[in-house]
Amino acid sequence: MKKPFTTSVTLLPVLAALAGCIPSPEDLETTPVQVQTPQGVVTCQLYRLDRVTWDRAIDYPATKMSVTQADNYCRQEGQRRLKR
């Protein structure tokens, strides 16, 4: 029977190598897009074209809307592009 320490030492490099294969959001960025809203223009950073989970606002009229509202406009734009 292997000792727990030996198993951990063997498993750690394998897990580290696998973690390096997982893309970060920056690896999946598209060219930012601008969305016209009733409160003004929101600049969105969209990521994967098949998901909208990471889509977010990178510029918005801060005096007229919250970060959450701006992010929601970006997710809506991602959804619109997804349905095309």
Side-chain angles (χ1 to χ4, degrees), residues 42-69:
V42 175
T43 304
C44 299
Q45 180 60 69
L46 305 180
Y47 294 89
R48 293 180 55 157
L49 299 178
D50 62 338
R51 288 194 189 150
V52 299
T53 307
W54 291 333
D55 295 351
R56 63 184 177 88
I58 56 175
D59 189 34
Y60 61 95
T63 59
K64 298 181 181 180
M65 72 175 65
S66 68
V67 173
T68 302
Q69 289 172 313

Side-chain angles (χ1 to χ4, degrees), residues 30 33 46-55 73-84:
T30 63
V33 297
L46 305 180
Y47 294 89
R48 293 180 55 157
L49 299 178
D50 62 338
R51 288 194 189 150
V52 299
T53 307
W54 291 333
D55 295 351
Y73 279 117
C74 292
R75 288 189 191 99
Q76 288 172 8
E77 178 63 14
Q79 282 289 345
R80 187 185 72 76
R81 290 170 182 246
L82 179 65
K83 291 179 182 178
R84 279 201 247 176

